[in-house]
Amino acid sequence: MSVLTGELKWWQQEIIYQIYPRSFQDSNGDGVGDIQGIISRLDYLKELGVGVLWLSPVYKSPQVDNGYDISDYYDIHDEYGTLADMDELIAQAAARGMRVIMDLVINHTSDQHPWFIESRDPASPKRDYYYWRDGREGGGNPNNWTSFFGEDCWVYDEKSGQYYLHLFAKGQPDLNYHNPAVFEEIKSIMRFWLDRGIAGFRCDVINIIFKESLEDGRRRLILTGSEHYISRPGTHEILKKLRSEVLDDYDCFTVGETVFVTPKMGQELCDPERRELDMIFSFEHMETDQFIVKWFKRKFHAGRFGRVIERWQQAMYWPAVYLENHDQPRSVSRFADDGRYWSESAKMLAVLLLTQRGTPFVFQGEEIGMTNFDFASLEQLQDVESHNIDRLLKRFHVPAGMRWRMLLRTSRDNARTPVQWNGESGAGFTTGSPWLGINKNHKKINVAAQEHDTESVLNFYRCLIGMRKQREVLVAGDFKLIEAKRSRIVYERSLGHERMLIILSFSDKPQRVSYRGDLIVSNYSRQTFDGRLSPYEAAVLEIMM
Ligand code: TEU
Ligand code: CA
């Protein structure tokens, strides 16, 4: 599926930047990022060269899961601002040639959403907006499913005498897509925001929204029950209808976050002929350093990583390319070296991100090489998932030291610490006390320090983004894996007569390779390439044909 037909669409030519609003920029000193803060950084984003901003949820929310629990889809969360601020952001971005997309979280709402509050009354017309079920005969949950956040996925509600389903936190009840009224509500929400001028949606856990049945699942280590809801035909139906009944009326695109997808499922979800989603985020490359579940780490292996990347580059008509988001530890800490070779590593990963086929997504702070959070106690973590998992592992008598090491490496808060704008005490993020700790390394790793340093990670990103825009071969050219092993990944991009070879070292030892060509990108200050690869070196060679 790698042959493209026709011209590239605008969203295929842009680089997308993910903003986690809580941690991006605080404008009023309350320690929480906000929309005015984002507006104040638009020039920075423009200069970076990104064309689309994806905002993690800014809707009204009790913030049990930092906005992924929505209590009003038609309004902005107070801490973040107002609808007027959002309009201003869209307009100010447009004035700079940038567009904004929003997170669409429609698998579940908050338990504080008026629909859910009403639905707790069994006689309410909203009852069927959610999955309310009786317990089993003799007591206990309606089925044996388990949730994404390491707990049961049913909560018994005294008031209504039944249980409700939640695949994520307790405060995130799942919506019932067997009910056509729910589907109509979602359509109005989408229109509301598209009419305000946004350019599309990142669709949260979109491949699991339709629960085909609520029967018991086969027992598994994680996510018992998932065979009843992962990429079921009902989901495909809904996506087709959202496309033809809403999205087709706008110049917009969608990128679906899809969990536990295979390349075949992924391809089905965004095959242009089927008219469902435009792109998806798959997870297989993020699982190459995990053992069955994310909480058990295995050593990162660049060979395995490279082969997974290759598989998805080939399978997808148009890949969404990413190495980081708000749910994943920082890439430089995880896949390379955040110590001695920090700068080389961050630049090498930039090359990996920006030389693949598809639309690249940069996560805030990735462009300055931000590292994992240096938290020193569980109390410093805010993430509901981290606390749930710690409690669960404790129940299974996993020793404290082991639980701690798991959290250090896998907590989602690794990615969520405030953006490091400068070396001052609030890192330029806030003048108040930040909602989540700021990494001590902000004294060294920050935007201000990198802004005018021609050798910085930030300026490397700027150059590479600029180059990608000039060279269609990098955007749309064929992708061919040449080598993938523990110490390096090598691949080729080609389009017509153009050919580029990308050589990436994942080792702290020098290596020798036999490839030659004109060196056009290097993360070391070199003019030519003679086959010697330094630690974590990245070299892009142009091959004349
Ligand atoms: O993530 C879905 C998802 O699968 C993650 O919960 C993933 O399992 C986990 O983060 C791995 O640690 C989306 C959002 O990106 C996430 O922030 C939300 O918490 C979740 O949906 C619920 O809305
Ligand atoms: Ca604020």
Coordinates of all heavy atoms in Angstrom, one line a residue, residues 284-327:
E284 N 2.8 -0.5 18.2 CA 3.7 -1.7 18.2 C 5.2 -1.2 18.4 O 5.9 -1.8 19.2 CB 3.6 -2.5 17.0 CG 4.2 -3.9 17.1 CD 4.1 -4.8 15.9 OE1 3.4 -4.4 14.9 OE2 4.7 -5.8 15.9
H285 N 5.6 -0.1 17.8 CA 7.0 0.3 18.0 C 7.2 0.8 19.4 O 8.3 0.8 19.9 CB 7.4 1.4 17.0 CG 6.6 2.7 17.1 ND1 5.3 2.8 17.1 CD2 7.1 4.0 17.3 CE1 4.9 4.1 17.2 NE2 6.0 4.8 17.3
M286 N 6.1 1.3 20.1 CA 6.3 1.7 21.5 C 6.3 0.5 22.5 O 6.5 0.7 23.7 CB 5.1 2.6 21.9 CG 5.0 3.9 21.1 SD 6.6 4.8 20.9 CE 6.3 6.1 22.0
E287 N 6.0 -0.7 21.9 CA 6.0 -1.8 22.8 C 7.3 -2.7 22.7 O 7.4 -3.7 23.3 CB 4.8 -2.7 22.5 CG 3.5 -2.0 23.0 CD 2.2 -2.4 22.2 OE1 2.3 -3.3 21.3 OE2 1.1 -1.8 22.5
T288 N 8.2 -2.2 21.9 CA 9.4 -3.1 21.6 C 10.3 -3.1 22.8 O 11.2 -4.0 22.9 CB 10.2 -2.6 20.4 OG1 10.4 -1.2 20.5 CG2 9.5 -2.9 19.1
D289 N 10.1 -2.2 23.8 CA 10.9 -2.3 25.0 C 10.1 -2.8 26.2 O 10.4 -2.5 27.3 CB 11.7 -1.0 25.3 CG 10.7 0.2 25.5 OD1 9.5 0.0 25.2 OD2 11.2 1.2 26.0
Q290 N 9.0 -3.4 25.9 CA 8.1 -3.9 26.9 C 7.9 -5.4 26.8 O 8.0 -6.0 25.7 CB 6.7 -3.2 26.8 CG 6.8 -1.7 27.0 CD 5.5 -1.0 26.6 OE1 4.5 -1.7 26.2 NE2 5.6 0.3 26.5
F291 N 7.6 -6.0 27.9 CA 7.4 -7.4 28.0 C 5.9 -7.7 28.3 O 5.5 -7.5 29.4 CB 8.3 -8.0 29.0 CG 8.1 -9.5 29.2 CD1 8.6 -10.4 28.2 CD2 7.6 -10.0 30.3 CE1 8.4 -11.7 28.3 CE2 7.4 -11.4 30.5 CZ 7.8 -12.3 29.5
I292 N 5.1 -8.0 27.3 CA 3.7 -8.3 27.4 C 2.9 -7.0 27.9 O 2.0 -6.6 27.2 CB 3.3 -9.5 28.3 CG1 4.2 -10.7 27.9 CG2 1.8 -9.8 28.2 CD1 3.9 -11.9 28.7
V293 N 3.2 -6.5 29.0 CA 2.5 -5.3 29.5 C 3.5 -4.2 29.7 O 4.7 -4.5 30.0 CB 1.7 -5.5 30.8 CG1 0.3 -5.7 30.5 CG2 2.3 -6.6 31.6
K294 N 3.1 -3.0 29.6 CA 4.0 -1.9 29.6 C 4.8 -1.8 31.0 O 5.8 -1.2 31.1 CB 3.4 -0.5 29.3 CG 2.4 0.0 30.4 CD 2.0 1.4 30.1 CE 2.8 2.4 30.9 NZ 2.2 3.7 30.9
W295 N 4.2 -2.4 32.0 CA 4.8 -2.2 33.3 C 6.0 -3.1 33.5 O 6.7 -3.0 34.5 CB 3.7 -2.4 34.4 CG 2.7 -1.4 34.2 CD1 1.5 -1.5 33.5 CD2 2.8 0.0 34.6 NE1 0.9 -0.3 33.4 CE2 1.6 0.6 34.1 CE3 3.7 0.7 35.4 CZ2 1.4 2.0 34.4 CZ3 3.4 2.0 35.6 CH2 2.3 2.6 35.1
F296 N 6.2 -4.1 32.6 CA 7.4 -4.9 32.6 C 8.3 -4.5 31.5 O 8.0 -4.7 30.3 CB 7.0 -6.4 32.6 CG 6.2 -6.8 33.8 CD1 4.9 -6.7 33.8 CD2 6.9 -7.2 34.9 CE1 4.1 -7.0 34.9 CE2 6.1 -7.6 36.1 CZ 4.8 -7.5 36.1
K297 N 9.5 -4.0 31.8 CA 10.4 -3.5 30.8 C 11.3 -4.6 30.3 O 11.6 -5.5 31.0 CB 11.3 -2.4 31.4 CG 10.7 -1.1 31.6 CD 10.5 -0.4 30.3 CE 11.7 0.4 29.8 NZ 11.4 1.3 28.7
R298 N 11.6 -4.6 29.0 CA 12.7 -5.4 28.6 C 13.7 -4.4 27.9 O 13.3 -3.3 27.5 CB 12.3 -6.5 27.6 CG 11.6 -6.0 26.4 CD 11.3 -7.2 25.5 NE 10.5 -6.8 24.4 CZ 10.0 -7.6 23.4 NH1 10.2 -8.9 23.5 NH2 9.3 -7.1 22.5
K299 N 14.9 -4.8 27.7 CA 15.9 -3.9 27.2 C 15.5 -3.5 25.8 O 15.1 -4.3 25.0 CB 17.3 -4.6 27.2 CG 18.4 -3.7 27.3 CD 19.7 -4.5 27.6 CE 21.0 -3.7 27.1 NZ 21.0 -2.3 27.1
F300 N 15.7 -2.2 25.6 CA 15.5 -1.7 24.2 C 16.4 -2.3 23.2 O 17.6 -2.5 23.5 CB 15.6 -0.2 24.2 CG 15.5 0.4 22.8 CD1 14.3 0.5 22.2 CD2 16.7 0.9 22.2 CE1 14.2 1.0 20.9 CE2 16.6 1.4 20.9 CZ 15.3 1.4 20.2
H301 N 15.9 -2.7 22.1 CA 16.7 -3.4 21.0 C 16.4 -2.7 19.7 O 15.2 -2.8 19.2 CB 16.3 -4.8 21.0 CG 17.2 -5.6 20.1 ND1 17.3 -5.4 18.7 CD2 18.0 -6.7 20.4 CE1 18.2 -6.3 18.2 NE2 18.6 -7.1 19.2
A302 N 17.3 -1.9 19.2 CA 17.1 -1.1 18.0 C 16.7 -2.0 16.8 O 15.9 -1.6 15.9 CB 18.3 -0.3 17.6
G303 N 17.2 -3.2 16.8 CA 16.8 -4.1 15.6 C 15.3 -4.4 15.6 O 14.7 -4.3 14.6
R304 N 14.8 -4.7 16.8 CA 13.4 -5.0 16.9 C 12.6 -3.8 16.5 O 11.6 -3.8 15.8 CB 13.1 -5.5 18.3 CG 11.8 -6.1 18.6 CD 11.9 -7.0 19.8 NE 12.4 -6.3 21.0 CZ 13.2 -6.9 21.9 NH1 13.4 -8.2 21.8 NH2 13.6 -6.2 22.9
F305 N 13.0 -2.7 17.0 CA 12.4 -1.4 16.8 C 12.3 -1.1 15.3 O 11.3 -0.8 14.7 CB 13.3 -0.3 17.5 CG 12.6 1.0 17.7 CD1 11.5 1.2 18.3 CD2 13.3 2.2 17.2 CE1 10.9 2.5 18.6 CE2 12.8 3.4 17.5 CZ 11.6 3.6 18.1
G306 N 13.5 -1.2 14.6 CA 13.6 -1.0 13.2 C 12.6 -1.8 12.4 O 12.0 -1.4 11.4
R307 N 12.6 -3.1 12.8 CA 11.7 -4.0 12.0 C 10.2 -3.7 12.2 O 9.4 -3.8 11.2 CB 12.0 -5.5 12.4 CG 13.3 -6.0 11.8 CD 13.5 -7.5 12.0 NE 13.7 -7.8 13.5 CZ 14.9 -7.7 14.1 NH1 16.0 -7.4 13.4 NH2 15.0 -8.0 15.4
V308 N 9.9 -3.3 13.4 CA 8.5 -2.9 13.6 C 8.1 -1.6 12.8 O 7.1 -1.5 12.1 CB 8.2 -2.6 15.1 CG1 6.8 -2.0 15.3 CG2 8.3 -3.9 15.9
I309 N 9.1 -0.7 12.8 CA 8.9 0.6 12.0 C 8.7 0.2 10.5 O 7.8 0.7 9.9 CB 10.0 1.6 12.2 CG1 9.9 2.1 13.7 CG2 10.1 2.7 11.2 CD1 11.1 3.0 14.1
E310 N 9.5 -0.6 10.0 CA 9.5 -1.1 8.7 C 8.1 -1.7 8.3 O 7.4 -1.4 7.3 CB 10.6 -2.1 8.4 CG 10.2 -3.3 7.4 CD 10.6 -2.9 6.0 OE1 11.0 -1.8 5.8 OE2 10.5 -3.8 5.1
R311 N 7.6 -2.5 9.2 CA 6.3 -3.2 9.0 C 5.2 -2.2 8.8 O 4.4 -2.3 7.9 CB 6.0 -4.2 10.2 CG 4.8 -4.9 10.0 CD 4.8 -6.3 10.7 NE 5.0 -6.2 12.2 CZ 5.9 -6.8 12.8 NH1 6.8 -7.5 12.2 NH2 6.0 -6.6 14.1
W312 N 5.2 -1.2 9.7 CA 4.1 -0.2 9.6 C 4.3 0.8 8.5 O 3.3 1.2 7.8 CB 4.0 0.5 11.0 CG 3.3 -0.4 12.0 CD1 4.0 -1.3 12.8 CD2 1.9 -0.5 12.2 NE1 3.0 -2.0 13.5 CE2 1.8 -1.5 13.2 CE3 0.8 0.1 11.7 CZ2 0.5 -1.9 13.7 CZ3 -0.5 -0.3 12.2 CH2 -0.6 -1.3 13.2
Q313 N 5.5 1.1 8.2 CA 5.8 2.0 7.0 C 5.3 1.3 5.7 O 4.7 2.0 4.9 CB 7.3 2.2 6.9 CG 7.8 3.3 7.9 CD 7.6 4.7 7.4 OE1 8.0 5.1 6.3 NE2 6.9 5.5 8.1
Q314 N 5.4 0.0 5.7 CA 4.9 -0.7 4.5 C 3.4 -0.9 4.5 O 2.7 -0.9 3.5 CB 5.6 -2.1 4.3 CG 7.1 -2.1 4.2 CD 7.7 -1.1 3.2 OE1 6.9 -0.6 2.4 NE2 9.0 -0.9 3.2
A315 N 2.9 -1.2 5.7 CA 1.4 -1.6 5.8 C 0.5 -0.4 5.5 O -0.6 -0.6 4.9 CB 1.1 -2.2 7.1
M316 N 0.9 0.8 5.9 CA -0.1 1.9 5.9 C 0.0 2.7 4.6 O 1.1 3.0 4.1 CB 0.2 2.8 7.1 CG 0.1 2.1 8.5 SD -1.5 1.3 8.7 CE -2.6 2.7 8.8
Y317 N -1.2 3.1 4.2 CA -1.2 4.0 3.0 C -0.6 5.3 3.4 O 0.2 5.8 2.6 CB -2.7 4.2 2.7 CG -2.9 5.1 1.5 CD1 -2.7 4.7 0.2 CD2 -3.3 6.5 1.7 CE1 -2.9 5.6 -0.9 CE2 -3.5 7.3 0.7 CZ -3.3 6.9 -0.6 OH -3.4 7.7 -1.7
W318 N -0.9 5.8 4.5 CA -0.2 7.1 5.0 C 0.0 7.0 6.5 O -0.9 7.3 7.3 CB -1.1 8.3 4.6 CG -0.3 9.6 4.8 CD1 -0.3 10.4 5.8 CD2 0.8 10.0 3.9 NE1 0.6 11.4 5.7 CE2 1.3 11.2 4.5 CE3 1.4 9.5 2.7 CZ2 2.4 11.9 3.9 CZ3 2.4 10.2 2.2 CH2 2.9 11.4 2.8
P319 N 1.3 6.8 6.9 CA 1.5 6.6 8.3 C 1.5 7.9 9.1 O 1.9 9.0 8.6 CB 2.9 6.0 8.4 CG 3.2 5.6 7.0 CD 2.4 6.4 6.1
A320 N 1.1 7.8 10.4 CA 1.3 8.9 11.3 C 2.6 8.5 12.1 O 2.6 7.4 12.6 CB 0.1 9.0 12.3
V321 N 3.6 9.3 12.1 CA 4.9 9.0 12.6 C 5.1 9.7 13.9 O 5.0 10.9 14.0 CB 6.0 9.3 11.6 CG1 7.4 9.0 12.1 CG2 5.7 8.6 10.3
Y322 N 5.4 8.9 15.0 CA 5.7 9.6 16.3 C 6.6 8.7 17.1 O 6.6 7.5 17.0 CB 4.4 9.9 17.0 CG 3.8 8.6 17.7 CD1 4.0 8.4 19.0 CD2 3.0 7.7 17.0 CE1 3.5 7.2 19.6 CE2 2.5 6.6 17.6 CZ 2.7 6.3 18.9 OH 2.2 5.2 19.5
L323 N 7.3 9.4 18.0 CA 8.1 8.7 19.0 C 7.7 9.0 20.4 O 8.2 8.4 21.4 CB 9.6 9.0 18.8 CG 10.2 8.7 17.4 CD1 11.7 9.2 17.4 CD2 10.2 7.2 17.2
E324 N 6.9 10.1 20.5 CA 6.5 10.5 21.9 C 5.1 11.0 21.9 O 4.6 11.5 20.9 CB 7.4 11.7 22.4 CG 8.8 11.4 22.7 CD 9.6 12.5 23.4 OE1 8.9 13.5 23.8 OE2 10.8 12.4 23.5
N325 N 4.4 10.9 23.0 CA 3.2 11.6 23.3 C 3.0 11.7 24.8 O 3.9 11.4 25.5 CB 2.0 10.9 22.6 CG 1.7 9.5 23.1 OD1 1.8 9.2 24.3 ND2 1.3 8.6 22.2
H326 N 1.9 12.2 25.2 CA 1.6 12.4 26.7 C 1.5 11.1 27.5 O 1.3 11.2 28.7 CB 0.4 13.3 26.8 CG -0.8 12.6 26.3 ND1 -1.1 12.4 25.0 CD2 -1.9 12.1 27.0 CE1 -2.2 11.7 24.9 NE2 -2.7 11.6 26.1
D327 N 1.4 10.0 26.8 CA 1.3 8.7 27.6 C 2.5 7.9 27.6 O 2.6 6.8 28.2 CB 0.2 7.8 26.9 CG -1.2 8.4 26.9 OD1 -1.5 9.1 27.9 OD2 -2.0 8.1 26.0

